[in-house]
Amino acid sequence: MTYDIEKPDEQWRAELTPAEYQVLRRAATERPFTGEYTDTKAKGVYACRACGAELFTSAEKFDSRCGWPSFYDPKDSDAVELAEDRSYGTVQTEVRCARCGSHLGHVFEGEGFATPTDQRYCINSISLSLTPDES
């Protein structure tokens, strides 16, 4: 896949913290209930921490009690890309930033949440940066 923002691995390592690098570029997962945005109620826009692309808004964020920030839909349909992930012995749908290809988390559906899409974008806090609305 070709992305608008492509950098050599050494540059990603230099620009990201070791923890950010592991999640965003190596598809690791932060531990549940440890991320800075898990319980955040602030209104604003969540962007990719690697490239700044706007991905989700607080309007689509909901409390799924899963340990990671959850959204029922991305900000724009082309903000993220979905890919099959077989890395944990099961088939999951990985969510990546469509602009730089960074790993964000996974999306699940059919879990019965009372959301308009019946989807849960389970996203690592460390892969996001929140820009709060000005009030």
Side-chain angles (χ1 to χ4, degrees), residues 17-75:
T17 68
E20 290 169 347
Y21 177 81
Q22 286 303 312
V23 172
L24 289 159
R25 305 309 304 169
R26 291 289 169 246
T29 300
E30 67 188 354
R31 291 186 16 227
F33 302 103
T34 62
E36 67 182 301
Y37 301 127
T38 303
D39 298 318
T40 299
K41 305 275 191 266
K43 295 189 184 318
V45 176
Y46 292 87
C48 175
R49 194 169 288 196
C51 74
E54 294 185 352
L55 303 171
F56 301 95
T57 73
S58 58
E60 290 82 29
K61 189 174 189 283
F62 71 101
D63 184 7
S64 68
R65 297 184 186 98
C66 72
W68 294 273
S70 297
F71 304 86
Y72 63 79
D73 210 16
K75 182 177 186 288

Side-chain angles (χ1 to χ4, degrees), residues 76-128:
D76 296 306
S77 59
D78 59 352
V80 299
E81 70 173 2
L82 305 179
E84 186 177 282
D85 177 2
R86 295 179 173 264
S87 62
Y88 294 104
T90 183
V91 178
Q92 295 181 321
T93 303
E94 179 185 12
V95 181
R96 296 180 191 152
C97 174
R99 188 170 168 208
C100 71
S102 289
H103 173 78
L104 304 171
H106 292 86
V107 63
F108 304 94
E109 50 190 321
E111 296 178 315
F113 288 105
T115 61
T117 63
D118 196 24
Q119 293 182 315
R120 176 174 58 95
Y121 285 80
C122 183
I123 306 299
N124 292 286
S125 285
I126 201 165
S127 65
L128 302 172

